[in-house]
Amino acid sequence: MVRRRSAAISRFTGAYGFDQPFGTPMAAGVIVTVPPVVVVLLFRRRIIAGLTAGGVK
């Protein structure tokens, strides 16, 4: 899934084929990155509990 997003972001070009704008890919990167970070922050206690429960023999 990550590969598709990064491939889609890399296809953003400027008005000309060789023009490489930085604003649009950076904004797309933020939009793609923020939701997973929010999910991890919301469920971090469950994530840590699951990791530690799986590590006990």
Side-chain angles (χ1 to χ4, degrees):
M1 196 181 238
V2 175
R3 292 183 195 166
R4 293 183 216 162
R5 292 177 185 162
S6 61
I9 290 172
S10 69
R11 292 181 186 224
F12 287 133
T13 59
Y16 306 104
F18 59 87
D19 194 18
Q20 187 66 22
F22 291 105
T24 306
M26 295 297 258
V30 169
I31 290 171
V32 166
T33 305
V34 169
V37 170
V38 170
V39 168
V40 167
L41 290 176
L42 289 174
F43 294 108
R44 66 182 172 202
R45 289 187 183 179
R46 290 181 182 243
I47 293 170
I48 294 171
L51 289 172
T52 55
V56 176
K57 281 191 171 182

